[in-house]
Amino acid sequence: MPILSSTYTPPLLFKNGYVSTIYPNLIRKINGVPQKRERVELDDGDFIDLDWSYASSTTKKMAIIIHGLEGNAQRQYMLGLARHLNKNNWDTALVNLRNCSGVVNRLYRSYNAGVSDDLERVVNHVLLQDKYANISLCGFSLGGNLTLKYLGEGRNIPSEVKAAVAVSAPCDLYNSLLEINKPKNYIYEQRFIRHLKAKLHERQAVFPDKITKPDIKACTSLIDIDNLYTSLAHGYKDALDYYSKCSSKQFLKNVEIPTLIINAKNDSFLGNRCYPEDEAKENSRLFLEIPKYGGHVGFYFPGKTYYNEARTLEFFEKSPLLK
């Protein structure tokens, strides 16, 4: 499918990628999204918590929304999309990936950019309710990579899944890591490291035989954390093995449902390999939009609804598979 042209043009201040990235996280406040939590038990004895929000009337349409690195269902970008979809007659299930719902999970493993088996379990759980004929997916950042991997790995995607959107998706994980490691992203990287190390200390308290405090203290970069924990806890040889096997770019040729990737050109977390132009040109079901502006999960737009939120609803509603 040819690359889509983008109509997104924000106010002057928000043409700066750093402002676009920071503003929604520090300033934006989303109200009016009541959530109902549901715990989904997993086959390995662990759990995932879903936070549901509903349209004002009964609907057969629902969206499963997945957050990014160290996110959760209460992040403003998650609530903003849920609010917009709810107002347009979509129910939403916001996924808290393992160890991201405010409760330490039962197992040593947690989440990563490739845990598509957990997303499959969530989709199947929603289907068991037998009330939704049309299910769409939206993943942000890490959740976007996860969504794309789920769709392209060759599994049997249920016929009820009609469309998907990935926002600010690091389709090549190692390429994204190298970009985050650059001096321009020092503040972001250090923030990620602090949050991830805090989570590791939580796990160390519960699993002292698997990881030590000196191990955690020695981590000074994201790849150190992925070598120490993310890769080994999830069955990979090391960080590079994890990045190689979990990057969604290699699976995009197999995506069979209408899928939109929105990756801003000025996203400071994405390197050149995170813009899968060749893959989009070769797959009629894969659409790639590269707005000039937007930063990382930014896309500010005057008013309550951000550009990516309006665009996601538009893509969901126009899916040729939607009944």
Side-chain angles (χ1 to χ4, degrees), residues 34-178:
Q35 293 182 323
K36 180 180 179 181
R37 176 156 292 188
E38 178 188 18
R39 179 154 294 179
V40 179
E41 296 292 334
L42 304 173
D43 292 339
D44 62 6
D46 213 342
F47 63 88
I48 283 179
D49 288 331
L50 304 180
D51 287 323
W52 288 82
S53 60
Y54 299 96
S56 58
S57 58
T58 302
T59 180
K60 291 184 177 296
K61 299 182 294 185
M62 73 87 56
I64 297 171
I65 308 174
I66 307 99
H67 61 76
L69 181 66
E70 285 306 280
N72 55 48
Q74 285 69 52
R75 290 298 174 94
Q76 300 307 297
Y77 60 83
M78 298 281 281
L79 295 173
L81 179 57
R83 180 178 65 183
H84 188 56
L85 291 172
N86 291 163
K87 287 184 176 181
N88 286 275
N89 203 38
W90 287 72
D91 290 347
T92 61
L94 278 61
V95 179
N96 296 279
L97 295 172
R98 299 194 200 206
N99 217 45
C100 293
S101 64
V103 181
V104 178
N105 278 61
R106 299 167 189 150
L107 303 184
Y108 181 59
R109 63 167 292 183
S110 57
Y111 76 100
N112 61 57
V115 286
S116 51
D117 53 332
D118 282 357
L119 179 53
E120 181 176 44
R121 177 69 181 86
V122 169
V123 171
N124 290 337
H125 173 76
V126 169
L127 287 171
L128 287 175
Q129 300 190 34
D130 197 28
K131 62 181 290 189
Y132 298 111
N134 303 300
I135 298 172
S136 290
L137 312 175
C138 182
F140 291 93
S141 193
L142 176 147
N145 182 83
L146 171 57
T147 299
L148 296 170
K149 180 173 177 283
Y150 163 79
L151 293 172
E153 286 180 302
R155 61 171 39 83
N156 181 27
I157 303 298
S159 60
E160 291 86 353
V161 177
K162 307 297 186 183
V165 175
V167 180
S168 303
C171 302
D172 186 303
L173 296 174
Y174 186 54
N175 183 244
S176 177
L177 174 85
L178 294 178

Side-chain angles (χ1 to χ4, degrees), residues 8 14-22 167-168 262-270 275 291-300:
Y8 177 57
F14 292 90
K15 291 182 178 180
N16 182 294
Y18 297 106
V19 173
S20 293
T21 300
I22 294 170
V167 180
S168 303
I262 308 174
N263 281 359
K265 193 65 177 176
N266 69 344
D267 188 330
S268 65
F269 293 2
L270 304 183
Y275 300 89
K292 186 176 181 180
Y293 311 108
H296 191 74
V297 193
F299 303 103
Y300 171 86

